[in-house]
Amino acid sequence: MPMRSQLVLRRFDDFESLNQKLAGAIALLSKTTKSGLSLALTGGKTVGRLYETLRANHRDAGWERVDFFWSDERLVPIEHLESNVRQAKDLWLSSLKVPCKRIHVPNGEAMDPQRAAEAYEGTLRQYLGPDLSLGCALLSLGEDGHIASLFPGHPATRENSRLVVPVLDSPKPPFRRITMTLAMLNRAAVVYLVAVGAEKAAALRDTLEGSLNLMRCPAQGLQFGNSKIVVWADQHAAAQLS
């Protein structure tokens, strides 16, 4: 099954060019979304550099009107180096004048992952309104085709009703996590999917051109929602695309 017609592929010669343009695109969304932007963040080295660029170059983009969420979080204390929330706060959010009530943090210290997932789904339902739609979901493509904490072979990839689910056995540590499902991510108005580096080339080819198999490549599931999908890829990640 081909990807939807709403797919836009943006290729860049190098990561820095991609990074600057993506930061500008996110800042523009913040400035131009009249009712205020709801933005789901993610973790990883690539977005860490993006957060630094947003902090340095786009301080006055109306961030005080943005509601920040996380597509997934590792169940660790917020001060832990593996916390997605800590990464975003340390590299970017701590520099912004955003009211605390607009930063919707998952409870990474919850002892019960199921309750943590249920609580964060409750947060989404409380703040996103009846349509439960994010303005933008920022996602990074994994080498194995995972997005957020939706990993190949994991039953969470098949979930089509719940918005947030626990992951107890992530293939890489930390093993306990919570993640937005495809049912939630596909409600976003726009998904920015980032793929950087030669190690992502096979996964990006499978995501955009491979035979449909969500249990092999969860990122393929982004084609089933109402989102506009913008793929941001450097030349190395895009090298295997036809």
Side-chain angles (χ1 to χ4, degrees), residues 196-219:
V196 173
E199 66 275 12
K200 306 292 180 67
L204 185 59
R205 180 194 63 210
D206 201 13
T207 298
L208 302 185
E209 301 175 356
S211 59
L212 182 63
N213 185 336
L214 300 189
M215 294 302 282
R216 184 190 70 243
C217 182

Side-chain angles (χ1 to χ4, degrees), residues 30-37 62-67 102:
S30 177
K31 291 177 181 178
T32 57
T33 303
K34 293 181 179 180
S35 58
L37 178 68
W63 303 115
E64 67 279 359
R65 299 189 305 115
V66 175
D67 279 285
R102 288 191 175 274

Side-chain angles (χ1 to χ4, degrees), residues 153-164:
H154 198 282
T157 302
R158 292 198 187 104
E159 179 61 48
N160 56 21
S161 58
R162 295 171 61 191
L163 307 182
V164 183

Side-chain angles (χ1 to χ4, degrees), residues 40-44 47-48 51 69-72 84 87-88 138-140 147-148:
L41 304 177
T42 190
V47 296
Y51 295 155
F69 300 88
W70 275 262
S71 64
D72 67 318
N84 289 340
Q87 179 191 39
L138 174 66
L139 298 171
S140 183
I147 48 174

Side-chain angles (χ1 to χ4, degrees), residues 15 18 46 143 195-202 204 233-239:
F15 169 65
L18 182 158
T46 300
E143 297 173 28
V196 173
E199 66 275 12
K200 306 292 180 67
L204 185 59
D234 70 355
Q235 62 175 334
H236 304 293

Side-chain angles (χ1 to χ4, degrees), residues 23-39 54 57-66 68 92:
I26 293 172
L28 184 61
L29 280 177
S30 177
K31 291 177 181 178
T32 57
T33 303
K34 293 181 179 180
S35 58
L37 178 68
S38 53
L39 174 63
L54 284 164
N57 299 339
H58 300 281
R59 299 181 68 88
D60 300 319
W63 303 115
E64 67 279 359
R65 299 189 305 115
V66 175
F68 294 93
W92 181 31

Side-chain angles (χ1 to χ4, degrees), residues 46 97 115 120 212:
T46 300
K97 296 179 180 179
R115 290 187 178 180
Y120 204 55
L212 182 63

